Amino acid sequence: MIQIYHNPRCGKSRNCLAFIKESEKEFEVINYLENVPKFDELKSLIQKLNFEPLALVRQKEKIWIENFKNKPMTNDEIIQAMVTYPILIERPIVIKGNKAIIGRDLDNVTDFLQLN
């Protein structure tokens, strides 16, 4: 089943969700601002994305700039910052099996959903 980490206030996230709905594939919506992923869940998600944790951070967010920018941090500290402030998590994230992508580009989502 497809999962989407979704923020309903984000236009890119709404577009991605609408696109997934149109695909008629079975999916689950995770509103990550209300159902904040636990540390281990986020760490696993980052592995599925094949990212370094910093690549998943919305580095232009005010919270990041004021509290974390230019501060030396371990990967675990970066993950914990996203758990503490889930608004820092890039969105939307589309998950299928043991792989995930950032779903901001619908062409990438199309290709991703077509993979076995």
Side-chain angles (χ1 to χ4, degrees):
M1 177 190 303
I2 297 163
Q3 295 176 305
I4 177 172
Y5 275 64
H6 175 61
N7 176 350
R9 297 182 65 195
C10 171
K12 294 280 188 182
S13 193
R14 288 192 308 269
N15 290 343
C16 184
L17 178 58
F19 182 79
I20 290 172
K21 285 179 181 177
E22 289 174 10
S23 76
E24 299 182 1
K25 295 183 183 288
E26 191 175 343
F27 67 94
E28 172 188 13
V29 176
I30 300 167
N31 184 338
Y32 67 91
L33 295 177
E34 293 177 6
N35 300 307
V36 179
K38 293 179 178 28
F39 181 91
D40 289 339
E41 293 170 326
L42 193 53
K43 192 170 189 172
S44 174
L45 180 57
I46 291 166
Q47 290 171 342
K48 289 178 182 181
L49 286 161
N50 197 26
F51 280 2
E52 289 296 317
L54 188 59
L56 189 58
V57 173
R58 295 177 56 84
Q59 296 181 43
K60 293 182 181 177
E61 285 289 337
K62 183 177 180 182
I63 291 169
W64 182 262
I65 293 167
E66 292 178 353
N67 297 292
F68 306 107
K69 186 177 180 181
N70 298 324
K71 179 181 173 186
M73 298 174 73
T74 66
N75 284 342
D76 284 353
E77 289 171 331
I78 294 168
I79 294 169
Q80 186 58 52
M82 288 186 280
V83 170
T84 303
Y85 303 102
I87 194 71
L88 294 175
I89 300 171
E90 184 61 80
R91 63 205 178 237
I93 302 169
V94 181
I95 306 159
K96 184 178 173 191
N98 63 355
K99 303 235 184 244
I101 63 165
I102 302 298
R104 297 182 69 78
D105 180 338
L106 295 182
D107 288 337
N108 290 343
V109 176
T110 299
D111 294 342
F112 184 70
L113 294 180
Q114 292 175 351
L115 294 174
N116 290 332

